[in-house]
């Protein structure tokens, strides 16, 4: 049952899919995912994807990313992401991704800590729109084979090089997939937390494997908590109330229904302010009000948030909802260079499991889909050139 291929990719979120799509069609690629194809955080992204609007936007976008990251970002990586953003958006449109438009022109929205609107979106399901179109693209490629419910359990190391991976199926069958190049695209670590917006099966497996093989890691304590998830006493994944809701004018209230923070500050600052306020009020949540957003904007821009809250018993067009911070994103990870190469030969890492330094100590909203895509493409180009 052991297999051999040119490239093996663990993970079928945007990082894995875009790497596969940018590799030549005349090589064999095997992709695996621990769960089904739709269960990746990439499908959950709501708010949108950033793009550098024009040359004049460079300085502002660069500074916004650096400021949010507490200036601990790798400048070279930020530059690469900004300069690569338009090309990635064009490629997505080429795969059939539809972003909101007005009179044929892109509509841009804004989220916390952005100095101007530069986020493209598709209603409040941007991740689903992008990932499903990339997945459809991958399925059209006869050189790419995908195995669902197949978990990477280890990498195969020989003479300090990566020769592929070991996997286990749902039926507990174990086998190796030998490959000339291996790409780790296993996403975040939310499954390790009690309260997280991530899928529970995302448990940072590649990080454990990297640690075992002495592969370089970076910023392992840089975890982002999203300030606003819908408070619920039920167990399981927390439902995100996208930052763009606050970008469009939603406000936060304490128990006396008074504002206590500038809602557009970076995520870590707002999350900390909410935590302090909850402590002061002796509550498990604060309130989020959409009263200053027109009903039409709520229904058109945030239809899924509206519907989900309604199902939970809240009509956001006329009442506040309880919100609480939850684990959301991992800025650290497996150290990679600007071509997504890890410290082990023939081993690459892309997406949330990698750390190319774009986000520094804290991610700017809507930068992660873009970062995953730009650096996935670079991984593919590096593999092609080898
Ligand atoms: C609710 C939510 C909203 C978000 N909104 C936005 C947004 O608006 N804009 C933005 O830019 N970012 C957003 N993000 C972040 C963004 O979605 C993720 O950072 C990004 O999609 C990560 O992509 P990825 O390919 O690295 O990982 P994922 O898309 O999470 O994919 C990981 C893949 O790895 C697989 N996997 C994991 N472990 C193993 C293993 N051991 N073996 C085999 N396969 C494995 C999984 O099954 C999955 O296929 C949001 C995240 C969440 C959770």
């Amino acid at each position: 049952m052991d297999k051999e291929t040119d490239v093996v990719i663990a993970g079928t979120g945007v990082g894995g899919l875009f790497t596969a799509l940018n590799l030549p069609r005349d090589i064999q690629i095997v992709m695996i995912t621990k769960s089904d194809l739709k269960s990746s955080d990439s499908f959950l992204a709501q708010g949108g994807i950033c793009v550098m609007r024009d040359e004049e936007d460079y300085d502002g976008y660069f500074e916004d990313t650096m400021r949010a990251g507490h200036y601990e970002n790798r400048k070279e990586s930020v530059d690469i992401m900004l300069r690569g953003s338009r090309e990635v958006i064009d490629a997505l449109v080429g795969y059939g991704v539809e972003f909101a438009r007005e009179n044929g022109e892109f509509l841009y929205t804004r989220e916390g800590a952005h100095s101007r609107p530069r986020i493209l979106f598709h209603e409040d399901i941007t991740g689903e729109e992008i990932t499903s179109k990339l997945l459809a693209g991958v399925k059209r490629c006869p050189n790419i084979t995908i195995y669902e419910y197949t978990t990477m359990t280890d990498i195969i190391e020989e003479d300090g090089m990566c020769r592929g991976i070991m996997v286990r199926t749902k039926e507990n069958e174990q086998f190796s997939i030998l490959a000339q190049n291996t790409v780790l695209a296993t996403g975040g670590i939310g499954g390790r937390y009690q309260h997280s917006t991530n899928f529970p099966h995302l448990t940072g497996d590649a990080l454990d494997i990297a640690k075992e093989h002495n592969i370089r890691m970076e910023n392992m304590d840089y975890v982002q908590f999203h300030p606003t998830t819908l408070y619920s006493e039920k167990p399981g994944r927390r439902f995100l109330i996208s930052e763009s809701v606050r970008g469009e004018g939603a406000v936060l209230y304490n128990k006396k229904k008074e504002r206590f923070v500038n809602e557009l500050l970076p995520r870590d600052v707002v999350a900390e302010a909410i935590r302090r306020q909850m402590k002061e009020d002796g509550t498990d949540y604060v309130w989020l009000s959409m009263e200053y957003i027109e009903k039409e904007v709520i229904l058109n821009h945030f239809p899924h948030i509206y519907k989900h809250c309604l199902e939970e018993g809240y009509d956001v067009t006329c009442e506040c909802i309880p919100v609480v911070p939850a684990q959301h994103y991992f800025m650290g990870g497996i150290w990679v260079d600007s071509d997504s190469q890890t410290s082990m030969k023939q081993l690459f890492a892309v997406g949330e499991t990698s750390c190319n330094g774009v986000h520094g100590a804290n991610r700017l909203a809507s930068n992660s889909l873009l970062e995953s895509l730009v650096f996935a493409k670079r991984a593919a180009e590096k593999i092609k050139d080898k």
Side-chain angles (χ1 to χ4, degrees), residues 47-323:
I49 178 167
C50 291
V51 61
M52 186 172 91
R53 288 184 61 166
D54 46 41
E55 270 307 311
E56 277 173 23
D57 190 29
Y58 182 89
D59 289 345
Y61 187 5
F62 194 93
E63 173 60 17
D64 290 347
T65 302
M66 296 293 294
R67 197 184 324 111
H70 297 256
Y71 299 97
E72 290 188 34
N73 325 51
R74 258 187 257 163
K75 285 184 182 169
E76 185 200 357
S77 299
V78 178
D79 175 72
I80 289 171
M81 181 180 77
L82 266 55
R83 300 237 172 258
S85 62
R86 184 59 64 180
E87 205 178 82
V88 157
I89 298 301
D90 290 346
L92 292 180
V93 171
Y95 284 108
V97 174
E98 288 176 16
F99 293 113
R101 292 179 189 255
E102 201 170 55
N103 304 324
E105 299 293 321
F106 283 142
L107 259 182
Y108 296 92
T109 186
R110 185 177 169 184
E111 296 187 66
H114 281 275
S115 55
R116 70 182 283 199
R118 60 168 77 87
I119 298 164
L120 295 171
F121 61 98
H122 178 101
E123 296 174 357
D124 49 2
I125 49 164
T126 312
E128 184 178 328
E129 172 67 9
I130 293 175
T131 319
S132 59
K133 299 284 165 66
L134 294 182
L135 193 53
V138 161
K139 285 182 176 169
R140 285 193 296 271
C141 295
N143 63 319
I144 306 176
T145 310
I146 308 180
Y147 296 103
E148 291 179 275
Y149 300 104
T150 302
T151 301
M152 171 180 67
T153 53
D154 203 353
I155 55 169
I156 302 165
E157 180 179 356
E158 257 175 46
D159 305 325
M161 280 184 225
C162 184
R163 302 284 189 191
I165 60 175
M166 293 302 301
V167 303
R168 192 180 51 233
T169 65
K170 205 162 58 166
E171 294 76 30
N172 220 12
E173 203 183 335
Q174 301 196 41
F175 58 93
S176 62
I177 306 177
L178 297 175
Q180 278 157 29
N181 287 288
T182 300
V183 182
L184 305 174
T186 51
I189 57 169
R192 296 185 182 207
Y193 287 76
Q194 192 187 1
H195 299 293
S196 172
T197 58
N198 295 188
F199 273 105
H201 70 280
L202 300 181
T203 43
D205 302 352
L207 304 170
D208 290 331
I209 294 170
K211 195 171 166 215
E212 281 291 306
H213 290 265
N214 291 319
I215 292 165
R216 184 173 167 194
M217 322 262 257
E218 195 176 357
N219 297 342
M220 296 303 283
D221 52 345
Y222 285 179
V223 179
Q224 181 173 83
F225 286 78
H226 198 287
T228 51
T229 67
L230 186 65
Y231 174 78
S232 167
E233 282 172 8
K234 293 183 208 151
R237 190 156 58 76
R238 294 287 162 249
F239 183 74
L240 186 79
I241 307 296
S242 164
E243 194 135 23
S244 43
V245 174
R246 281 175 282 127
E248 294 291 338
V251 289
L252 288 162
Y253 288 141
N254 62 15
K255 70 172 177 188
K256 290 189 200 146
K257 300 273 164 82
E258 292 161 346
R259 281 181 74 190
F260 57 90
V261 65
N262 169 358
E263 290 81 3
L264 295 180
L265 287 172
R267 287 186 176 169
D268 53 340
V269 182
V270 178
E272 184 47 33
I274 293 176
R275 221 177 275 286
R276 262 202 318 270
Q277 192 61 48
M278 280 164 31
K279 202 165 167 211
E280 208 179 303
D281 288 351
T283 51
D284 291 332
Y285 51 81
V286 295
W287 296 106
L288 183 79
S289 166
M290 301 189 198
E291 65 196 297
Y292 300 113
I293 313 179
E294 281 172 33
K295 188 171 175 177
E296 220 175 280
V297 174
I298 296 179
L299 299 181
N300 287 331
H301 191 156
F302 308 114
H304 298 87
I305 292 176
Y306 169 74
K307 193 167 155 259
H308 184 92
C309 291
L310 211 55
E311 281 162 13
E312 294 284 325
Y314 305 101
D315 181 349
V316 294
T317 62
C318 58
E319 62 184 326
C320 295
I321 53 170
V323 292

Side-chain angles (χ1 to χ4, degrees), residues 12 15 33-34 41-42 45 47-48 152 186 201 205 329 352 368-369:
T12 56
T33 174
K34 194 173 180 179
D41 275 6
S42 296
M152 171 180 67
T186 51
H201 70 280
D205 302 352
Y329 185 79
E352 200 169 327
S368 47
L369 288 173

Side-chain angles (χ1 to χ4, degrees), residues 25 39 43 48 55 58 69 87 137 190 226 229 265 335 348-349 359 380 382:
R25 296 283 178 268
S39 299
F43 267 91
E55 270 307 311
Y58 182 89
E87 205 178 82
H226 198 287
T229 67
L265 287 172
W335 175 92
F348 292 76
H359 308 297
K382 191 71 194 175

